[in-house]
């Protein structure tokens, strides 16, 4: 396929004189083009919702969410994956980002790595991919060989597969079981898919991971009640969550958090259900980690 035929490679008539604009005109154009991203995603919401349900089901069966991509797309997958453990208290293996070219590609472009059709299979075998896992292939163009190979291997293994691309009729869309395709149009800088396409991909990834975490009990109301207390900011946030939910003062929240072994959900249950840490832990286990259900016991 000649990439010139792709929507993401077309020239944007609105930016034909990009190099002649004032700086203010430049950023106004960026902003007006970025407004198209949310509208493109809006059209894909039913598919995004279906993908969230698939991922949540996988989590409930001890499956993992695996992102694969190259270049900007791969980096966005790694970014979303790396933020899940501190935000939702999950293990480092539950959501993983794999980028063509390996860790070095996060910091230095490894442009040739995306052209290897078999490399993703090797990478997925190294993490011992299982049929219980969900693989999300990310490629703005929708034609990246690395992603095509990875999705094809995942399908053969029996995994649920999802694609995220920004071009209609993308090859990865025909491979994945769920194809999410926010077509954001030609970039302000021709072919620079780190711009609108990259923004669209990040928004979709945020929805997938956050939505699946909500569906599996990692959120109460709109609070990250499984947050890890891994630094001072997150300790303070944990105390604030306990205070918001229970109505106690900060000193009581601190005491509860310590007594609950730094586990926010347990601390809340200890206060509102009037139980000790062991009982709170058991109540959560009995309710598959859903705080709302445990509070209604």
């Amino acid at each position: 396929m000649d990439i010139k035929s792709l929507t993401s490679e077309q020239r944007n008539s609105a930016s034909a004189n990009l190099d002649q604009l004032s700086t203010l005109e430049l950023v106004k154009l960026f902003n007006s083009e970025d407004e198209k991203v949310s509208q493109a995603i809006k059209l894909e919401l039913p598919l995004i919702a279906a993908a969230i349900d698939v991922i949540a089901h996988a989590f409930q069966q001890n499956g993992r969410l695996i992102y694969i991509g190259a270049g900007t797309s791969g980096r966005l997958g790694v970014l979303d994956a790396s933020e899940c453990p501190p935000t939702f208290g999950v293990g480092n293996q539950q959501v993983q980002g794999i980028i063509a070219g390996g860790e070095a590609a996060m910091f230095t472009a490894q442009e040739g790595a995306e052209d290897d059709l078999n490399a993703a299979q090797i990478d997925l075998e190294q993490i011992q991919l299982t049929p219980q896992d969900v693989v999300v292939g990310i490629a703005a163009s929708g034609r990246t060989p690395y992603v095509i190979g990875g999705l094809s291997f995942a399908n053969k293994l029996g995994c649920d597969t999802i694609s995220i691309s920004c071009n209609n009729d993308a090859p990865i869309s025909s491979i994945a079981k769920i194809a999410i395709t926010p077509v954001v149009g030609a970039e302000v800088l021709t072919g620079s898919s780190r711009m609108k396409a990259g923004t669209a991909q990040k928004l979709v990834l945020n929805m997938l991971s956050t939505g699946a975490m909500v569906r599996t009990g990692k959120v109460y109301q709109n609070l990250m009640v499984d947050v890890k207390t891994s630094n001072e900011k997150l300790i303070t946030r944990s105390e604030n969550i306990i205070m918001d939910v229970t109505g106690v003062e900060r000193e009581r929240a601190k005491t509860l958090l310590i007594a609950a072994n730094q586990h926010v959900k347990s601390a809340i249950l200890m206060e509102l259900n009037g139980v000790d840490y062991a009982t709170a832990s058991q109540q959560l286990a009995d309710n598959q980690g859903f705080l709302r259900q445990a509070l209604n016991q």
Side-chain angles (χ1 to χ4, degrees):
M1 180 190 297
D2 180 359
I3 64 170
K4 192 173 178 61
S5 66
L6 300 175
T7 301
S8 59
E9 294 287 334
Q10 299 300 303
R11 295 190 66 179
N12 190 328
S13 60
S15 62
N17 62 337
L18 188 64
D19 60 338
Q20 296 177 306
L21 299 180
S22 70
T23 305
L24 180 57
E25 290 171 333
L26 190 74
V27 295
K28 283 183 176 179
L29 178 58
F30 288 161
N31 183 241
S32 65
E33 287 293 314
D34 285 343
E35 290 175 352
K36 299 176 182 179
V37 174
S38 62
Q39 291 304 309
I41 291 175
K42 186 176 182 179
L43 299 175
E44 301 300 301
L45 292 180
L47 289 166
I48 294 171
I52 288 171
D53 288 339
V54 166
I55 296 166
H57 178 74
F59 285 167
Q60 291 165 342
Q61 306 302 314
N62 296 316
R64 300 169 295 176
L65 170 59
I66 311 297
Y67 297 133
I68 58 171
T72 297
S73 298
R75 293 183 191 100
L76 290 170
V78 173
L79 173 63
D80 194 73
S82 66
E83 291 173 343
C84 287
T87 305
F88 300 110
V90 297
N92 292 330
Q93 306 303 310
Q94 185 166 336
V95 184
Q96 297 183 46
I98 299 175
I99 182 170
E103 185 176 342
M106 280 297 296
F107 307 100
T108 305
Q110 310 282 326
E111 298 299 346
E114 70 176 60
D115 296 329
D116 190 335
L117 189 66
N118 300 313
Q121 176 174 339
I122 295 170
D123 291 342
L124 291 170
E125 287 175 337
Q126 286 182 341
I127 65 163
Q128 299 179 322
L129 189 72
T130 74
Q132 287 71 46
D133 299 326
V134 177
V135 175
V136 178
I138 317 164
S141 69
R143 62 187 290 278
T144 305
Y146 180 85
V147 178
I148 290 173
L151 288 172
S152 298
F153 171 67
N155 279 338
K156 290 177 183 177
L157 200 63
C159 301
D160 281 312
T161 51
I162 299 163
S163 66
I164 304 173
S165 66
C166 296
N167 284 284
N168 285 318
D169 302 318
I172 64 172
S173 298
S174 64
I175 297 171
K177 296 174 184 175
I178 299 176
I180 300 169
T181 315
V183 181
V184 297
E187 299 286 4
V188 171
L189 180 62
T190 306
S192 183
S193 56
R194 66 188 180 86
M195 300 184 77
K196 286 190 296 184
T199 299
Q201 289 172 325
K202 186 178 190 304
L203 290 174
V204 172
L205 293 172
N206 287 163
M207 289 181 182
L208 294 182
S209 57
T210 305
M213 295 298 175
V214 172
R215 294 271 72 84
T216 51
K218 296 295 182 180
V219 174
Y220 174 71
Q221 297 176 354
N222 62 349
L223 300 169
M224 52 175 78
V225 287
D226 267 323
V227 61
K228 283 188 177 178
T229 55
S230 52
N231 60 36
E232 288 299 323
K233 179 189 76 174
L234 296 180
I235 291 172
T236 300
R237 179 177 293 162
S238 298
E239 294 169 358
N240 290 341
I241 291 171
I242 295 168
M243 293 163 63
D244 285 347
V245 176
T246 66
V248 302
E249 298 298 325
R250 186 167 302 278
E251 284 306 311
R252 176 59 177 164
K254 288 182 178 180
T255 300
L256 285 166
L257 191 58
I258 292 170
N261 197 28
Q262 304 297 310
H263 190 232
V264 174
K265 282 181 179 175
S266 296
I268 292 169
L269 283 174
M270 290 166 65
E271 179 67 19
L272 295 184
N273 283 6
V275 297
D276 60 16
Y277 173 59
T279 303
S281 298
Q282 187 59 54
Q283 288 177 345
L284 283 170
D286 291 343
N287 290 279
Q288 293 76 51
F290 283 84
L291 178 58
R292 186 177 295 276
Q293 295 175 13
L295 284 169
N296 291 331
Q297 285 192 323

